[in-house]
Amino acid sequence: MNAPTSFELPKAGLVVGERYLTTGSGGVHQHHYAADGRVQAEVPIAGASEVDAAVAAAKAAFPGWRATRPAVRRDLLFKLAELVEQHGEELAWIGARENGSPISGVRMIPGKFAAWTKYSAGFADKLEGRVVSTFQDDSVLDYTIPEPFGVVALILTWNGPLMGLGMKLGAALAAGNTIVMKPSELTPFTAWRLVQLAEQAGFPPGVLNLVTGGAEAGEALVRHPDVQKISFTGGVSTGQRIATTIAQSLKPALYELGGKSANLIFADADMEVAVRHSARQPLFLAGQGCILPTRILVEEDVADEFVERLIAEIRSIRIGDPMDAATELGPVIDARSQARLLGLIEAARARGDGKVALGGGKPAGVNPDGYYVEPTVFTGVDPQSDLAQNECFGPVLSVMTFKTADEAVEIANGTEFGLGAYIHSTNLPRTLQLAHRLEAGSVQINGAPTARENAPFGGRGLSGHGREGGHDGMMEFVRVKNVAIGDGALWRR
Ligand code: NAD
Protein backbone atom coordinates (compact mmCIF):
# COMPACT_ATOMS: atom_id res chain seq x y z
CA MET A 1 0.00 0.00 0.00
CA ASN A 2 1.37 3.42 -0.98
CA ALA A 3 1.93 6.08 1.65
CA PRO A 4 -0.77 8.74 1.32
CA THR A 5 -0.02 11.99 -0.44
CA SER A 6 -0.71 14.98 1.77
CA PHE A 7 -3.61 17.30 0.89
CA GLU A 8 -5.15 20.36 2.51
CA LEU A 9 -8.23 19.96 4.66
CA PRO A 10 -10.79 22.07 2.78
CA LYS A 11 -12.53 24.93 4.55
CA ALA A 12 -15.88 23.52 5.52
CA GLY A 13 -19.02 25.57 5.26
CA LEU A 14 -22.51 25.92 3.90
CA VAL A 15 -23.71 25.89 0.32
CA VAL A 16 -26.94 27.76 -0.35
CA GLY A 17 -27.79 27.89 -4.03
CA GLU A 18 -24.68 29.33 -5.65
CA ARG A 19 -23.36 30.88 -2.44
CA TYR A 20 -20.55 29.23 -0.50
CA LEU A 21 -20.67 30.48 3.10
CA THR A 22 -17.83 30.04 5.55
CA THR A 23 -19.69 31.50 8.51
CA GLY A 24 -23.00 30.48 10.05
CA SER A 25 -25.30 32.15 12.58
CA GLY A 26 -25.13 29.04 14.80
CA GLY A 27 -21.50 29.75 15.78
CA VAL A 28 -18.43 27.60 15.30
CA HIS A 29 -17.49 24.00 16.02
CA GLN A 30 -13.86 23.27 16.83
CA HIS A 31 -12.85 20.21 14.89
CA HIS A 32 -10.26 17.95 16.54
CA TYR A 33 -8.08 15.42 14.73
CA ALA A 34 -8.91 12.10 16.38
CA ALA A 35 -5.35 10.79 16.24
CA ASP A 36 -3.77 13.56 18.34
CA GLY A 37 -6.66 15.54 19.82
CA ARG A 38 -5.46 18.80 18.29
CA VAL A 39 -7.87 21.36 16.81
CA GLN A 40 -7.42 21.17 13.07
CA ALA A 41 -10.25 23.42 11.83
CA GLU A 42 -13.13 25.61 12.84
CA VAL A 43 -16.43 24.65 11.27
CA PRO A 44 -19.26 27.17 10.85
CA ILE A 45 -22.60 26.02 12.20
CA ALA A 46 -25.83 26.83 10.40
CA GLY A 47 -28.64 28.54 12.27
CA ALA A 48 -32.32 28.46 11.37
CA SER A 49 -31.92 31.37 8.92
CA GLU A 50 -29.34 29.50 6.80
CA VAL A 51 -31.45 26.34 6.92
CA ASP A 52 -34.40 28.40 5.63
CA ALA A 53 -32.23 29.85 2.86
CA ALA A 54 -30.91 26.40 1.83
CA VAL A 55 -34.42 24.95 1.68
CA ALA A 56 -35.61 28.00 -0.31
CA ALA A 57 -32.73 27.49 -2.79
CA ALA A 58 -33.62 23.81 -3.18
CA LYS A 59 -37.30 24.67 -3.61
CA ALA A 60 -36.51 27.27 -6.27
CA ALA A 61 -34.31 24.80 -8.16
CA PHE A 62 -36.85 21.96 -8.03
CA PRO A 63 -39.12 22.84 -11.01
CA GLY A 64 -36.12 23.20 -13.33
CA TRP A 65 -34.46 20.03 -12.07
CA ARG A 66 -37.67 18.05 -12.33
CA ALA A 67 -38.12 19.27 -15.91
CA THR A 68 -34.52 18.40 -16.81
CA ARG A 69 -34.49 15.46 -19.16
CA PRO A 70 -33.78 12.29 -17.17
CA ALA A 71 -30.87 11.41 -19.46
CA VAL A 72 -29.27 14.75 -18.59
CA ARG A 73 -29.69 14.07 -14.86
CA ARG A 74 -28.14 10.66 -15.46
CA ASP A 75 -25.13 12.10 -17.29
CA LEU A 76 -24.53 14.74 -14.60
CA LEU A 77 -24.47 12.04 -11.94
CA PHE A 78 -22.07 9.97 -14.04
CA LYS A 79 -19.83 13.00 -14.39
CA LEU A 80 -19.91 13.56 -10.62
CA ALA A 81 -19.03 9.90 -10.01
CA GLU A 82 -16.09 10.20 -12.41
CA LEU A 83 -14.83 13.36 -10.73
CA VAL A 84 -15.01 11.61 -7.35
CA GLU A 85 -12.97 8.74 -8.78
CA GLN A 86 -10.43 11.18 -10.21
CA HIS A 87 -10.15 12.92 -6.83
CA GLY A 88 -10.28 9.61 -4.98
CA GLU A 89 -6.93 9.93 -3.21
CA GLU A 90 -7.77 13.45 -2.01
CA LEU A 91 -11.25 12.44 -0.81
CA ALA A 92 -9.84 9.40 1.00
CA TRP A 93 -7.28 11.66 2.68
CA ILE A 94 -10.00 14.12 3.75
CA GLY A 95 -12.12 11.20 5.00
CA ALA A 96 -9.26 9.90 7.14
CA ARG A 97 -8.51 13.34 8.59
CA GLU A 98 -12.11 14.12 9.38
CA ASN A 99 -13.01 11.05 11.43
CA GLY A 100 -9.72 9.28 12.08
CA SER A 101 -10.45 6.19 9.95
CA PRO A 102 -7.27 4.55 8.65
CA ILE A 103 -6.40 5.59 5.12
CA SER A 104 -5.86 1.91 4.30
CA GLY A 105 -9.58 1.32 4.90
CA VAL A 106 -11.07 4.48 3.40
CA ARG A 107 -9.13 4.36 0.13
CA MET A 108 -11.88 2.25 -1.38
CA ILE A 109 -14.68 4.64 -0.34
CA PRO A 110 -14.51 7.06 -3.31
CA GLY A 111 -14.88 4.02 -5.59
CA LYS A 112 -17.87 2.87 -3.53
CA PHE A 113 -19.42 6.34 -3.79
CA ALA A 114 -18.92 6.23 -7.56
CA ALA A 115 -20.45 2.75 -7.81
CA TRP A 116 -23.54 3.76 -5.82
CA THR A 117 -23.94 7.01 -7.75
CA LYS A 118 -23.58 5.38 -11.16
CA TYR A 119 -26.03 2.66 -10.17
CA SER A 120 -28.61 5.30 -9.16
CA ALA A 121 -27.84 7.44 -12.21
CA GLY A 122 -28.87 4.52 -14.39
CA PHE A 123 -32.37 4.72 -12.94
CA ALA A 124 -32.86 8.36 -13.97
CA ASP A 125 -34.11 7.45 -17.44
CA LYS A 126 -35.54 4.06 -16.47
CA LEU A 127 -37.95 5.02 -13.70
CA GLU A 128 -41.29 3.98 -15.09
CA GLY A 129 -44.85 3.60 -13.91
CA ARG A 130 -47.04 0.69 -14.91
CA VAL A 131 -50.38 0.15 -16.52
CA VAL A 132 -52.78 -1.10 -13.85
CA SER A 133 -54.93 -4.07 -14.73
CA THR A 134 -58.48 -3.00 -15.64
CA PHE A 135 -59.79 -6.44 -16.52
CA GLN A 136 -63.13 -5.78 -14.83
CA ASP A 137 -63.77 -2.54 -16.63
CA ASP A 138 -62.28 -2.04 -20.04
CA SER A 139 -63.60 1.51 -20.26
CA VAL A 140 -60.83 2.71 -17.91
CA LEU A 141 -57.17 3.21 -18.61
CA ASP A 142 -55.34 3.21 -15.28
CA TYR A 143 -51.62 3.84 -14.84
CA THR A 144 -49.03 4.98 -12.30
CA ILE A 145 -46.38 7.71 -12.40
CA PRO A 146 -43.37 7.80 -10.06
CA GLU A 147 -42.92 11.45 -9.09
CA PRO A 148 -40.18 13.15 -7.09
CA PHE A 149 -41.05 14.58 -3.68
CA GLY A 150 -39.49 18.00 -4.16
CA VAL A 151 -37.00 19.10 -1.50
CA VAL A 152 -35.47 16.13 0.32
CA ALA A 153 -33.34 16.43 3.47
CA LEU A 154 -30.37 14.06 3.72
CA ILE A 155 -29.16 13.88 7.34
CA LEU A 156 -25.95 11.98 7.85
CA THR A 157 -23.75 10.63 10.56
CA TRP A 158 -19.97 10.81 10.85
CA ASN A 159 -18.70 7.25 10.55
CA GLY A 160 -18.55 7.14 6.75
CA PRO A 161 -19.36 10.57 5.36
CA LEU A 162 -18.72 9.87 1.68
CA MET A 163 -20.26 6.40 1.83
CA GLY A 164 -23.35 7.77 3.55
CA LEU A 165 -23.71 10.41 0.84
CA GLY A 166 -23.25 7.78 -1.87
CA MET A 167 -26.10 5.74 -0.42
CA LYS A 168 -28.55 8.64 -0.61
CA LEU A 169 -27.50 11.42 -2.95
CA GLY A 170 -27.54 9.73 -6.37
CA ALA A 171 -30.93 8.11 -5.81
CA ALA A 172 -32.49 11.35 -4.56
CA LEU A 173 -31.20 13.38 -7.50
CA ALA A 174 -31.78 10.76 -10.20
CA ALA A 175 -35.45 10.69 -9.20
CA GLY A 176 -35.69 14.45 -9.76
CA ASN A 177 -35.60 15.75 -6.19
CA THR A 178 -33.43 18.62 -5.05
CA ILE A 179 -31.54 18.16 -1.79
CA VAL A 180 -30.35 19.83 1.37
CA MET A 181 -27.67 17.71 3.00
CA LYS A 182 -26.69 17.98 6.62
CA PRO A 183 -23.55 16.06 7.46
CA SER A 184 -22.59 15.62 11.08
CA GLU A 185 -20.77 18.60 12.53
CA LEU A 186 -17.95 16.12 13.25
CA THR A 187 -17.41 15.40 9.52
CA PRO A 188 -18.29 18.44 7.41
CA PHE A 189 -15.35 18.46 4.98
CA THR A 190 -16.20 15.69 2.50
CA ALA A 191 -19.66 17.07 1.75
CA TRP A 192 -18.24 20.55 1.11
CA ARG A 193 -15.69 19.16 -1.34
CA LEU A 194 -18.38 17.05 -2.97
CA VAL A 195 -20.61 20.06 -3.66
CA GLN A 196 -17.65 21.75 -5.35
CA LEU A 197 -17.19 18.68 -7.56
CA ALA A 198 -20.91 18.69 -8.33
CA GLU A 199 -20.63 22.29 -9.46
CA GLN A 200 -17.67 21.29 -11.64
CA ALA A 201 -19.75 18.45 -13.07
CA GLY A 202 -22.35 21.01 -14.16
CA PHE A 203 -25.21 20.61 -11.66
CA PRO A 204 -27.33 23.76 -11.64
CA PRO A 205 -27.15 25.90 -8.47
CA GLY A 206 -29.70 25.00 -5.82
CA VAL A 207 -29.96 21.33 -6.78
CA LEU A 208 -27.46 20.36 -4.05
CA ASN A 209 -27.37 22.49 -0.90
CA LEU A 210 -25.41 21.93 2.25
CA VAL A 211 -25.88 23.01 5.84
CA THR A 212 -23.46 22.16 8.61
CA GLY A 213 -24.37 21.89 12.27
CA GLY A 214 -25.74 19.59 14.89
CA ALA A 215 -29.11 18.88 16.44
CA GLU A 216 -30.41 22.44 16.12
CA ALA A 217 -29.74 22.68 12.39
CA GLY A 218 -31.08 19.14 11.89
CA GLU A 219 -34.23 19.96 13.81
CA ALA A 220 -34.82 23.15 11.78
CA LEU A 221 -34.37 21.14 8.60
CA VAL A 222 -36.73 18.27 9.38
CA ARG A 223 -39.34 20.66 10.75
CA HIS A 224 -39.25 22.88 7.66
CA PRO A 225 -42.63 22.78 5.87
CA ASP A 226 -40.99 22.82 2.42
CA VAL A 227 -38.96 19.67 3.15
CA GLN A 228 -41.09 16.88 1.72
CA LYS A 229 -39.09 13.79 2.69
CA ILE A 230 -36.31 12.96 5.12
CA SER A 231 -33.60 10.37 4.68
CA PHE A 232 -31.89 10.00 8.03
CA THR A 233 -28.88 7.98 9.17
CA GLY A 234 -27.94 8.15 12.83
CA GLY A 235 -28.76 6.98 16.30
CA VAL A 236 -32.02 5.49 17.57
CA SER A 237 -32.84 8.32 19.97
CA THR A 238 -32.33 10.93 17.24
CA GLY A 239 -34.55 8.92 14.90
CA GLN A 240 -37.24 8.82 17.57
CA ARG A 241 -36.85 12.54 18.12
CA ILE A 242 -37.27 13.22 14.38
CA ALA A 243 -40.34 10.98 14.26
CA THR A 244 -41.84 13.07 17.07
CA THR A 245 -40.91 16.35 15.40
CA ILE A 246 -42.59 15.40 12.11
CA ALA A 247 -45.54 13.56 13.63
CA GLN A 248 -47.88 16.49 13.11
CA SER A 249 -47.04 16.93 9.43
CA LEU A 250 -46.95 13.17 8.74
CA LYS A 251 -44.10 13.73 6.30
CA PRO A 252 -42.36 10.53 5.24
CA ALA A 253 -38.94 9.62 6.57
CA LEU A 254 -36.46 6.81 6.10
CA TYR A 255 -34.56 5.80 9.23
CA GLU A 256 -31.19 4.02 9.04
CA LEU A 257 -30.36 3.54 12.71
CA GLY A 258 -28.18 1.42 14.94
CA GLY A 259 -27.61 -2.30 15.22
CA LYS A 260 -26.30 -5.15 17.33
CA SER A 261 -25.82 -7.68 14.58
CA ALA A 262 -25.40 -11.34 15.49
CA ASN A 263 -22.71 -13.46 13.87
CA LEU A 264 -23.49 -17.21 14.11
CA ILE A 265 -20.47 -19.51 13.93
CA PHE A 266 -21.29 -23.20 13.50
CA ALA A 267 -18.83 -26.00 14.14
CA ASP A 268 -18.85 -26.89 10.43
CA ALA A 269 -17.79 -23.38 9.35
CA ASP A 270 -14.68 -22.73 7.30
CA MET A 271 -12.77 -21.63 10.40
CA GLU A 272 -10.17 -19.56 8.62
CA VAL A 273 -12.85 -17.46 6.94
CA ALA A 274 -14.99 -17.32 10.09
CA VAL A 275 -12.10 -16.23 12.30
CA ARG A 276 -10.77 -13.55 9.96
CA HIS A 277 -14.22 -12.16 9.22
CA SER A 278 -15.30 -12.23 12.88
CA ALA A 279 -12.10 -10.54 14.04
CA ARG A 280 -11.68 -7.91 11.35
CA GLN A 281 -15.15 -6.91 10.17
CA PRO A 282 -16.37 -5.66 13.58
CA LEU A 283 -13.24 -3.54 13.95
CA PHE A 284 -13.68 -1.75 10.63
CA LEU A 285 -13.95 2.01 11.35
CA ALA A 286 -12.83 1.17 14.92
CA GLY A 287 -16.12 -0.64 15.39
CA GLN A 288 -18.12 2.48 14.55
CA GLY A 289 -20.41 0.91 11.97
CA CYS A 290 -24.10 0.22 12.26
CA ILE A 291 -24.14 -3.23 10.69
CA LEU A 292 -20.89 -4.67 12.04
CA PRO A 293 -21.08 -8.21 13.49
CA THR A 294 -20.44 -7.28 17.11
CA ARG A 295 -22.34 -10.14 18.80
CA ILE A 296 -20.54 -13.39 18.12
CA LEU A 297 -22.55 -16.56 18.80
CA VAL A 298 -20.36 -19.64 18.55
CA GLU A 299 -21.36 -23.31 18.75
CA GLU A 300 -20.23 -24.64 22.11
CA ASP A 301 -18.13 -27.55 20.76
CA VAL A 302 -15.74 -25.22 18.95
CA ALA A 303 -15.97 -22.18 21.20
CA ASP A 304 -12.59 -22.52 22.96
CA GLU A 305 -10.65 -23.05 19.76
CA PHE A 306 -12.57 -20.29 17.98
CA VAL A 307 -12.00 -17.73 20.76
CA GLU A 308 -8.30 -18.55 20.90
CA ARG A 309 -7.94 -18.00 17.16
CA LEU A 310 -10.17 -14.90 17.23
CA ILE A 311 -7.99 -13.27 19.87
CA ALA A 312 -4.78 -14.18 18.02
CA GLU A 313 -6.19 -12.61 14.84
CA ILE A 314 -7.23 -9.42 16.65
CA ARG A 315 -3.81 -9.16 18.25
CA SER A 316 -2.29 -9.15 14.76
CA ILE A 317 -4.29 -6.05 13.74
CA ARG A 318 -2.07 -3.02 13.59
CA ILE A 319 -3.24 -0.04 15.66
CA GLY A 320 -1.80 3.36 14.86
CA ASP A 321 -1.99 6.69 13.13
CA PRO A 322 -4.74 6.78 10.48
CA MET A 323 -2.44 8.41 7.93
CA ASP A 324 0.11 5.58 8.21
CA ALA A 325 -0.72 3.28 5.30
CA ALA A 326 0.08 0.22 7.46
CA THR A 327 -2.48 1.12 10.13
CA GLU A 328 -5.56 -1.11 10.25
CA LEU A 329 -7.27 0.22 13.39
CA GLY A 330 -7.39 3.92 14.25
CA PRO A 331 -8.89 6.03 17.03
CA VAL A 332 -12.58 6.54 17.68
CA ILE A 333 -14.23 9.77 16.60
CA ASP A 334 -13.80 12.05 19.62
CA ALA A 335 -12.89 12.35 23.29
CA ARG A 336 -16.52 11.91 24.32
CA SER A 337 -16.80 8.60 22.47
CA GLN A 338 -13.51 7.39 23.91
CA ALA A 339 -14.66 8.19 27.47
CA ARG A 340 -18.08 6.64 26.79
CA LEU A 341 -16.53 3.41 25.50
CA LEU A 342 -14.01 3.08 28.32
CA GLY A 343 -16.85 3.69 30.80
CA LEU A 344 -19.10 1.16 29.09
CA ILE A 345 -16.36 -1.50 29.18
CA GLU A 346 -15.70 -0.84 32.86
CA ALA A 347 -19.40 -0.97 33.72
CA ALA A 348 -19.91 -4.25 31.82
CA ARG A 349 -16.90 -5.75 33.61
CA ALA A 350 -18.14 -4.57 37.01
CA ARG A 351 -21.66 -5.91 36.41
CA GLY A 352 -20.28 -9.25 35.25
CA ASP A 353 -21.94 -9.08 31.83
CA GLY A 354 -19.00 -11.13 30.60
CA LYS A 355 -15.28 -11.64 31.13
CA VAL A 356 -12.70 -9.39 29.46
CA ALA A 357 -10.56 -11.76 27.38
CA LEU A 358 -8.71 -9.03 25.50
CA GLY A 359 -8.17 -5.28 25.77
CA GLY A 360 -10.42 -3.12 27.89
CA GLY A 361 -8.40 0.08 28.04
CA LYS A 362 -6.28 2.46 25.98
CA PRO A 363 -3.69 0.85 23.72
CA ALA A 364 0.05 1.38 24.18
CA GLY A 365 2.34 2.68 21.45
CA VAL A 366 0.01 5.33 20.03
CA ASN A 367 -0.28 9.08 20.62
CA PRO A 368 -1.70 9.28 24.17
CA ASP A 369 -3.70 12.38 23.21
CA GLY A 370 -5.48 10.50 20.41
CA TYR A 371 -8.88 8.94 21.06
CA TYR A 372 -7.79 5.31 20.94
CA VAL A 373 -9.59 2.37 22.53
CA GLU A 374 -8.11 -1.11 22.62
CA PRO A 375 -9.98 -3.76 20.67
CA THR A 376 -11.88 -5.47 23.45
CA VAL A 377 -13.36 -8.96 23.57
CA PHE A 378 -15.79 -10.07 26.24
CA THR A 379 -16.41 -13.82 26.48
CA GLY A 380 -19.13 -15.76 28.31
CA VAL A 381 -21.47 -12.83 27.75
CA ASP A 382 -24.98 -13.09 29.16
CA PRO A 383 -27.32 -12.59 26.15
CA GLN A 384 -29.70 -10.55 28.32
CA SER A 385 -27.01 -8.23 29.71
CA ASP A 386 -26.68 -4.54 28.81
CA LEU A 387 -23.49 -5.36 26.93
CA ALA A 388 -25.24 -7.90 24.70
CA GLN A 389 -28.39 -5.85 24.21
CA ASN A 390 -27.07 -2.37 23.42
CA GLU A 391 -25.01 -0.96 20.59
CA CYS A 392 -21.48 -0.03 21.71
CA PHE A 393 -20.40 1.72 18.48
CA GLY A 394 -16.75 1.06 19.15
CA PRO A 395 -14.21 -1.79 19.06
CA VAL A 396 -16.05 -3.99 21.56
CA LEU A 397 -17.06 -7.57 20.79
CA SER A 398 -19.31 -9.85 22.81
CA VAL A 399 -18.89 -13.62 22.49
CA MET A 400 -21.55 -16.07 23.65
CA THR A 401 -22.14 -19.73 22.99
CA PHE A 402 -25.06 -21.87 21.82
CA LYS A 403 -25.80 -25.60 21.71
CA THR A 404 -28.45 -25.80 18.96
CA ALA A 405 -29.49 -23.78 15.92
CA ASP A 406 -32.79 -22.97 17.65
CA GLU A 407 -30.96 -21.52 20.61
CA ALA A 408 -28.74 -19.48 18.27
CA VAL A 409 -31.80 -18.02 16.54
CA GLU A 410 -33.41 -17.18 19.87
CA ILE A 411 -30.33 -15.31 21.07
CA ALA A 412 -29.77 -13.64 17.69
CA ASN A 413 -33.37 -12.38 17.55
CA GLY A 414 -33.36 -11.42 21.22
CA THR A 415 -32.59 -7.71 20.90
CA GLU A 416 -34.73 -4.79 19.76
CA PHE A 417 -32.44 -4.20 16.77
CA GLY A 418 -32.71 -5.86 13.37
CA LEU A 419 -30.16 -4.49 10.95
CA GLY A 420 -27.83 -7.33 9.93
CA ALA A 421 -27.16 -10.96 10.77
CA TYR A 422 -24.28 -13.19 9.75
CA ILE A 423 -23.88 -16.96 9.47
CA HIS A 424 -20.77 -19.08 9.05
CA SER A 425 -21.54 -22.68 8.10
CA THR A 426 -20.81 -25.03 5.21
CA ASN A 427 -24.26 -26.60 5.60
CA LEU A 428 -26.04 -24.66 2.85
CA PRO A 429 -29.61 -25.87 3.53
CA ARG A 430 -29.20 -24.88 7.16
CA THR A 431 -27.88 -21.41 6.31
CA LEU A 432 -30.84 -20.81 4.00
CA GLN A 433 -33.36 -21.94 6.62
CA LEU A 434 -31.70 -19.73 9.21
CA ALA A 435 -31.70 -16.77 6.83
CA HIS A 436 -35.51 -16.94 6.87
CA ARG A 437 -35.69 -17.15 10.64
CA LEU A 438 -33.33 -14.31 11.52
CA GLU A 439 -35.02 -10.99 12.30
CA ALA A 440 -32.78 -8.69 10.32
CA GLY A 441 -32.91 -6.49 7.23
CA SER A 442 -30.08 -8.49 5.67
CA VAL A 443 -28.28 -11.78 6.26
CA GLN A 444 -24.70 -12.29 5.07
CA ILE A 445 -23.55 -15.89 4.76
CA ASN A 446 -19.90 -16.96 4.90
CA GLY A 447 -18.42 -13.47 4.83
CA ALA A 448 -20.45 -12.02 1.94
CA PRO A 449 -19.99 -8.24 1.65
CA THR A 450 -22.59 -5.75 2.91
CA ALA A 451 -23.79 -2.41 1.53
CA ARG A 452 -23.56 -3.12 -2.17
CA GLU A 453 -25.18 -0.54 -4.41
CA ASN A 454 -27.51 -3.02 -6.13
CA ALA A 455 -28.85 -4.67 -2.95
CA PRO A 456 -31.30 -3.18 -0.45
CA PHE A 457 -29.77 -2.11 2.87
CA GLY A 458 -31.79 -1.25 5.96
CA GLY A 459 -33.25 -2.48 9.19
CA ARG A 460 -36.29 -3.47 11.15
CA GLY A 461 -37.27 -2.84 14.76
CA LEU A 462 -35.10 -0.19 16.41
CA SER A 463 -32.70 -0.36 13.45
CA GLY A 464 -35.25 1.66 11.50
CA HIS A 465 -37.08 1.15 8.27
CA GLY A 466 -36.77 2.02 4.61
CA ARG A 467 -34.06 0.83 2.25
CA GLU A 468 -31.01 2.25 0.56
CA GLY A 469 -29.56 0.61 -2.52
CA GLY A 470 -31.08 -1.46 -5.27
CA HIS A 471 -34.52 -0.88 -6.73
CA ASP A 472 -36.03 -0.56 -3.24
CA GLY A 473 -33.62 2.24 -2.39
CA MET A 474 -34.54 4.10 -5.55
CA MET A 475 -38.25 3.85 -4.80
CA GLU A 476 -37.69 5.64 -1.45
CA PHE A 477 -37.20 8.87 -3.42
CA VAL A 478 -40.37 8.78 -5.48
CA ARG A 479 -44.03 8.83 -4.63
CA VAL A 480 -46.38 6.95 -6.85
CA LYS A 481 -49.36 8.70 -8.41
CA ASN A 482 -52.25 6.79 -9.89
CA VAL A 483 -54.11 8.16 -12.91
CA ALA A 484 -57.33 6.68 -14.28
CA ILE A 485 -59.01 7.82 -17.50
CA GLY A 486 -62.63 6.90 -17.88
CA ASP A 487 -65.07 7.27 -20.78
CA GLY A 488 -67.86 8.78 -18.69
CA ALA A 489 -69.99 5.62 -18.92
CA LEU A 490 -70.41 5.46 -15.16
CA TRP A 491 -72.23 8.80 -15.09
CA ARG A 492 -74.30 8.65 -18.27
CA ARG A 493 -78.09 8.27 -17.78
P1 NAD B 1 -26.80 11.06 15.84
O1 NAD B 1 -28.16 10.51 15.78
O2 NAD B 1 -26.34 11.78 17.04
O3 NAD B 1 -26.58 12.10 14.62
C1 NAD B 1 -26.88 11.78 13.28
C2 NAD B 1 -27.22 13.06 12.54
O4 NAD B 1 -28.43 13.61 13.05
C3 NAD B 1 -26.18 14.17 12.69
O5 NAD B 1 -26.06 14.86 11.46
C4 NAD B 1 -26.79 15.07 13.75
O6 NAD B 1 -26.33 16.39 13.71
C5 NAD B 1 -28.26 14.98 13.38
N1 NAD B 1 -29.19 15.30 14.45
C6 NAD B 1 -28.99 15.24 15.80
N2 NAD B 1 -30.11 15.59 16.45
C7 NAD B 1 -31.05 15.87 15.51
C8 NAD B 1 -32.41 16.28 15.56
N3 NAD B 1 -33.05 16.47 16.72
N4 NAD B 1 -33.07 16.47 14.40
C9 NAD B 1 -32.46 16.25 13.23
N5 NAD B 1 -31.17 15.87 13.11
C10 NAD B 1 -30.47 15.69 14.24
O7 NAD B 1 -25.91 9.83 15.52
P2 NAD B 1 -24.34 9.75 15.46
O8 NAD B 1 -23.80 9.69 16.83
O9 NAD B 1 -23.84 10.80 14.54
O10 NAD B 1 -24.16 8.34 14.70
C11 NAD B 1 -24.10 7.14 15.36
C12 NAD B 1 -25.34 6.32 15.10
O11 NAD B 1 -25.64 6.22 13.71
C13 NAD B 1 -25.19 4.90 15.58
O12 NAD B 1 -26.31 4.49 16.32
C14 NAD B 1 -25.11 4.10 14.31
O13 NAD B 1 -25.50 2.77 14.42
C15 NAD B 1 -25.96 4.87 13.39
N6 NAD B 1 -25.65 4.58 11.98
C16 NAD B 1 -26.57 3.91 11.22
C17 NAD B 1 -26.28 3.56 9.90
C18 NAD B 1 -27.29 2.81 9.05
O14 NAD B 1 -27.19 2.87 7.83
N7 NAD B 1 -28.23 2.08 9.63
C19 NAD B 1 -25.07 3.93 9.35
C20 NAD B 1 -24.15 4.60 10.15
C21 NAD B 1 -24.46 4.92 11.47
Side-chain angles (χ1 to χ4, degrees):
M1 186 77 69
N2 297 331
T5 322
S6 201
F7 295 90
E8 290 263 309
L9 203 58
K11 261 193 115 47
L14 293 66
V15 183
V16 176
E18 51 199 343
R19 289 184 299 143
Y20 285 73
L21 311 173
T22 51
T23 57
S25 62
V28 163
H29 170 78
Q30 300 227 310
H31 192 279
H32 296 253
Y33 179 39
D36 62 15
R38 291 217 301 258
V39 174
Q40 60 178 348
E42 292 201 325
V43 179
I45 298 295
S49 61
E50 288 95 6
V51 170
D52 284 351
V55 174
K59 189 180 179 189
F62 175 61
W65 184 241
R66 185 186 186 178
T68 300
R69 279 197 307 118
V72 173
R73 295 204 296 260
R74 176 199 66 200
D75 291 351
L76 285 168
L77 284 165
F78 264 104
K79 181 77 189 152
L80 174 61
E82 281 159 13
L83 283 169
V84 165
E85 282 171 322
Q86 284 163 24
H87 291 80
E89 192 61 20
E90 177 198 353
L91 285 161
W93 187 92
I94 295 170
R97 287 296 299 206
E98 72 180 335
N99 71 3
S101 293
I103 189 83
S104 63
V106 294
R107 265 200 171 120
M108 50 109 173
I109 300 293
K112 292 279 281 180
F113 174 93
W116 275 74
T117 303
K118 287 179 185 173
Y119 177 83
S120 301
F123 272 103
D125 58 349
K126 294 171 200 71
L127 270 177
E128 290 165 350
R130 62 191 178 92
V131 175
V132 176
S133 165
T134 51
F135 67 93
Q136 283 173 320
D137 185 353
D138 58 11
S139 65
V140 177
L141 172 63
D142 193 314
Y143 63 97
T144 67
I145 319 173
E147 293 185 340
F149 284 89
V151 180
V152 171
L154 310 183
I155 301 186
L156 300 138
T157 178
W158 43 262
N159 65 340
L162 188 58
M163 183 68 192
L165 282 165
M167 293 170 83
K168 299 184 191 295
L169 177 144
L173 294 176
N177 302 284
T178 54
I179 59 176
V180 179
M181 321 172 233
K182 198 204 77 60
S184 162
E185 67 275 32
L186 303 177
T187 51
F189 305 104
T190 297
W192 170 262
R193 190 71 187 99
L194 192 70
V195 180
Q196 292 174 338
L197 294 177
E199 186 187 353
Q200 195 179 327
F203 279 87
V207 171
L208 297 90
N209 304 276
L210 166 65
V211 292
T212 51
E216 213 176 306
E219 186 105 18
L221 188 57
V222 299
R223 196 183 279 285
H224 201 295
D226 289 332
V227 169
Q228 300 292 329
K229 164 113 193 188
I230 294 152
S231 177
F232 171 73
T233 300
V236 174
S237 58
T238 310
Q240 290 163 333
R241 168 90 205 187
I242 291 174
T244 308
T245 303
I246 62 177
Q248 208 59 36
S249 69
L250 292 176
K251 73 175 73 171
L254 169 153
Y255 300 95
E256 294 285 5
L257 310 176
K260 192 76 183 179
S261 302
N263 181 11
L264 279 53
I265 318 289
F266 286 87
D268 64 5
D270 176 332
M271 277 301 160
E272 191 190 341
V273 171
V275 166
R276 278 183 66 82
H277 171 258
S278 306
R280 289 177 173 268
Q281 185 76 17
L283 298 178
F284 182 61
L285 303 174
Q288 302 165 114
C290 50
I291 199 169
L292 301 179
T294 51
R295 267 192 313 151
I296 298 177
L297 278 57
V298 54
E299 194 166 351
E300 208 171 70
D301 294 353
V302 290
D304 289 346
E305 181 207 339
F306 176 83
V307 168
E308 198 179 308
R309 289 178 65 175
L310 179 83
I311 287 176
E313 183 68 29
I314 294 176
R315 281 191 203 281
S316 76
I317 292 175
R318 189 155 163 171
I319 306 174
D321 189 289
M323 305 318 287
D324 179 342
T327 293
E328 296 171 296
L329 180 65
V332 297
I333 182 75
D334 60 9
R336 212 169 56 146
S337 277
Q338 184 194 39
R340 180 184 62 77
L341 284 158
L342 294 172
L344 168 163
I345 292 167
E346 203 34 57
R349 193 201 313 247
R351 278 193 308 267
D353 290 355
K355 185 172 148 291
V356 177
L358 180 72
K362 295 183 192 177
V366 291
N367 187 325
D369 296 327
Y371 312 132
Y372 291 90
V373 176
E374 270 185 306
T376 299
V377 178
F378 279 88
T379 53
V381 173
D382 172 358
Q384 297 308 322
S385 65
D386 275 15
L387 179 65
Q389 290 288 318
N390 298 312
E391 186 182 43
C392 298
F393 222 57
V396 184
L397 276 74
S398 300
V399 182
M400 29 207 131
T401 57
F402 65 85
K403 287 194 179 72
T404 63
D406 284 348
E407 192 190 353
V409 170
E410 196 183 321
I411 298 172
N413 290 346
T415 78
E416 290 189 274
F417 293 105
L419 192 52
Y422 303 77
I423 306 169
H424 285 275
S425 168
T426 49
N427 180 340
L428 187 62
R430 173 165 63 192
T431 60
L432 299 182
Q433 282 163 8
L434 288 173
H436 286 276
R437 296 176 64 195
L438 289 166
E439 289 292 340
S442 60
V443 179
Q444 315 309 120
I445 298 169
N446 295 332
T450 57
R452 280 167 298 120
E453 67 277 10
N454 54 355
F457 180 95
R460 45 178 83 173
L462 284 189
S463 294
H465 59 79
R467 293 293 178 265
E468 295 182 325
H471 184 261
D472 305 270
M474 196 65 218
M475 294 310 287
E476 293 284 350
F477 288 105
V478 295
R479 45 187 165 188
V480 174
K481 180 179 278 173
N482 179 230
V483 180
I485 309 170
D487 64 358
L490 197 61
W491 301 98
R492 253 176 234 122
R493 283 180 203 279

